[in-house]
Amino acid sequence: MNSRFYEVKITLGSVKKIRAGILLLITTFFWGVTFTVVKDAISKVDVFVFLSQRFLIAAAIMLPIALTRTNRVKARLLTHGTILGILLFASYAFQTVALKYTSASNTGFLTGLSVLLVPLFGAAIFRHAVGAGIRWGVGLATPGLFLLCTDGSLSFNIGDILGAICGACVALHLLYTSHFTRHADSDVYLLTTLQLSVVGLLSLASAQARGQEVFVWHPELLWTLVVCVLIATIFAFLVQTTMQKWISPAHTALIFCTEPVFAAAYAYYAAGERLGVLGLLGAVLILAGMIVSELLPDGADSDASVSVAAEG
């Protein structure tokens, strides 16, 4: 009887993992599609003005929803939300500054190196197991990112160091999101709202420090903000925060590797931009890495599924 109950729990955990992967892939699709839209927006206004408006509006929408779903705001949850918000803001900030000193292709590749850093940091900080699926997935996706984002050429400067720091912040954000959401008393709505609020406030402070006026209406950004606030921010980060309870940070990072693939596909559809042979090869390697990571056994996810099943 106990053995049969255990098997049912593991099966339910696998179903939740598959659902989490699909929803995270949908989230990544939206991020990739909105990349071109965001790029156009920050060519019209200061990037921190745009980030301030995007995240403050998203937090304002989420706050009443989160408060109606919770009885009490615990100090630990505030701490967790603040940590995630700082890491998320640092990711955006370092990426933005890096773009001043290096190419967009270098920045994209170095940011995407979070796929390599997540299992390394996870093993060092949380003693996560790194199974065959993750090793092969990362081994395929990393050169794929290099080919897709850089077309096979890379030169280093100070901006590349900042881009690498951005990748480290992305990796830490993924790891700590997974760690915090697996606490029994974690409230994903409030946790999401808190980190969005922190990003919005830090972006506001950065914009004002640069002498930029944030609370100014830009009618040309209306639909960009609507799409980015509702889909690329509220939906995306709520899905990420919720689904990382069921899927490992390393698998999440591999799924997020498909963002430049979706971005390139949309750029081809919307603007006629074409990938070269190396770029297409890179996209194939990224997709292959994600598929292989799902097909091969992964000790980290197995452990996570068992622990979650035991709690449920």
Side-chain angles (χ1 to χ4, degrees), residues 67-138:
L67 291 178
T68 58
R69 296 177 60 91
T70 187
N71 296 322
R72 183 174 68 162
V73 179
K74 297 182 179 180
R76 183 167 69 174
L77 196 61
L78 288 172
T79 302
H80 291 175
T82 301
I83 291 171
L84 292 180
I86 291 172
L87 289 172
L88 186 57
F89 170 77
S91 303
Y92 282 105
F94 279 112
Q95 185 180 64
T96 300
V97 179
L99 284 168
K100 286 188 172 184
Y101 301 101
T102 191
S103 65
S105 59
N106 282 21
T107 304
F109 168 65
L110 292 165
T111 300
L113 278 183
S114 58
V115 72
L116 176 62
L117 296 176
V118 164
L120 292 177
F121 287 171
I125 300 172
F126 299 109
R127 298 184 180 180
H128 288 170
V130 182
I134 293 300
R135 289 198 298 270
W136 278 98
V138 170

Side-chain angles (χ1 to χ4, degrees), residues 122 173 226 287 297 306 308:
H173 181 263
V226 169
L287 294 174
V306 171
V308 170

